[in-house]
């Protein structure tokens, strides 16, 4: 049965003349660099949430030793998270054609019989299963998250985090085993003869060269890059981000006419609870609690900062001009030195959702650009942008820039 040309376990079943060590090696080396960058930027993205600061920031509480690298996320430069997440998401989408082409190039190996010729071969096949399955899982969940399609069997954060470690471990093992052979294949293009499990013993007539196929894959990646990168770069290029959910026209016009993740209606925020008569900001700290109306906040020293909003889905705004009260000045109201403030726990009027509460580290509170913003681009915040007040912090993920702030609790977290 193994010699039946109608079965995928037979070498003669796979007749494409494109398959071969050289074609597979080129794709593999591209993925070696690209997936390494994806893994590093993904870990940095997770660190940006400061998950060790507070349980509300930690979406993978059972990570154990996998959190060994975590560090206090900096506020300089202010575009750090925007760059990191833009690279992570844009590169991930750009690599999809390369990944699919690589899987196509090695598909005969997935049907090789017997499935295990020895213990070492069995371990190699298991690692290959983890590599292929993990790669597909990571890319699929990542794309679904970018498209805001939350159809996962659980929270995206732990699924993507643990999946990344499993996939990358298998990827490193596979790279260590195959890199020498890949380099040899690149140096000996003309030595591909039947005998390799990737070279068909009876290839069909070619319709395109291997280099032509690589140009085709590269063209697909370039197309995905062009239709994605605009969501990070912003400006006129945002209209080219056809594959990004926030890549179309800015919502509305005027000073508040820039990207919105969650609207006030979606968050269940009503005008009655944000009105001047009803809304009060509760600030708690070492010396007690103060309650401030918006008018009270306007009597405090106001400062401005030009900062973007950047989200985990890869989209970001250009720098917007925010104006409000510095977080460290609010800490001073409840007994802390404004030059050495503590952490702060921020709570929103929003009643449901994973990020209705967030914690910020002391270095984020101390940054003079970290504001409880009351205005943006010279105009009061719109309801969708967090009226009557929202947090804006340099280099922080967008979900930590809490909107519709109701309470600030300063102290060590």
């Amino acid at each position: 049965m193994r010699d039946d040309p109608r079965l995928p376990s037979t070498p003669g079943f796979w007749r494409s003349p494109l398959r071969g060590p050289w074609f597979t090696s080129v794709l593999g080396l591209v993925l070696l660099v690209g997936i390494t960058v994806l893994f590093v930027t993904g870990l940095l993205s997770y660190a940006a949430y400061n998950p060790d600061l507070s349980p509300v920031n930690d979406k993978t509480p059972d990570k154990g030793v996998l959190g060994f690298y975590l560090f206090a996320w900096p506020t300089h430069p202010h575009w750090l998270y925007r760059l990191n997440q833009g690279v992570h998401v844009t590169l991930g989408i750009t690599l999809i054609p390369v990944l699919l082409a690589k899987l196509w190039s090695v598909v005969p190996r997935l049907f090789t019989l017997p499935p295990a010729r020895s213990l070492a071969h069995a371990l190699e096949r298991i690692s290959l299963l983890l590599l292929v399955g993990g790669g597909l899982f990571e890319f699929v969940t990542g794309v679904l998250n970018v498209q805001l399609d939350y159809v996962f069997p659980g929270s995206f954060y732990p699924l993507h985090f643990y999946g990344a470690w499993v996939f990358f471990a298998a990827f490193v093992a596979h790279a260590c085993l195959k890199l020498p052979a890949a380099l040899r294949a690149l140096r000996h293009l003309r030595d591909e003869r039947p005998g390799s499990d990737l070279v068909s013993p009876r290839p069909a007539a070619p319709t395109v060269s291997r280099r032509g196929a690589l140009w085709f894959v590269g063209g697909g990646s370039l197309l995905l890059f062009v239709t994605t990168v605009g969501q990070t770069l912003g400006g006129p290029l945002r209209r080219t981000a056809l594959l990004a959910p926030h890549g179309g026209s800015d919502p509305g016009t005027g000073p508040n006419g820039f990207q919105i993740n969650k609207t006030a209606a979606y968050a269940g925020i009503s005008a009655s609870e944000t009105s001047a008569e009803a809304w009060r900001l509760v600030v708690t700290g070492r010396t007690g609690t103060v309650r401030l109306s918006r008018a009270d906040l306007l009597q405090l020293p106001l400062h401005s900062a030009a900062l973007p909003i950047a989200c985990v889905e890869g989209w970001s705004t250009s720098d917007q001009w925010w104006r409000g009260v510095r977080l460290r000045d609010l800490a001073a109201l409840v007994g802390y030195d404004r030059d050495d403030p503590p952490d702060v726990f921020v709570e929103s009027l929003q009643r449901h959702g994973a990020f209705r509460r967030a914690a910020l580290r002391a270095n984020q509170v101390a940054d003079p650009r970290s504001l409880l913003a009351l205005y943006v681009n010279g105009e009061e915040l719109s309801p969708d942008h967090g009226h009557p007040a929202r947090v804006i912090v340099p280099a922080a993920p967008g979900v930590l820039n809490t909107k519709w702030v109701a309470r600030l609790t300063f102290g060590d977290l």
Side-chain angles (χ1 to χ4, degrees), residues 174-205:
H174 184 76
C176 291
L177 290 172
K178 299 298 183 181
L179 184 59
L183 295 176
R184 286 196 302 271
L186 291 176
R187 289 195 297 265
H188 300 93
L189 169 61
R190 298 185 183 279
D191 292 343
E192 290 191 358
R193 300 185 179 93
S196 167
D197 57 354
L198 294 178
V199 179
S200 174
R202 52 187 191 93

Side-chain angles (χ1 to χ4, degrees), residues 260-278:
I260 295 168
N261 197 9
K262 294 180 180 178
T263 65
Y266 177 90
I269 306 299
S270 66
S272 61
E273 59 188 335
T274 60
S275 66
E277 295 76 19

Side-chain angles (χ1 to χ4, degrees), residues 339-361:
D339 293 323
D340 187 26
D343 310 323
V344 65
F345 186 66
V346 185
E347 298 175 79
S348 172
L349 291 173
Q350 182 180 343
R351 295 173 183 81
H352 304 285
F355 292 99
R356 66 188 184 277
R357 298 174 298 168
L360 298 174
R361 285 194 185 275

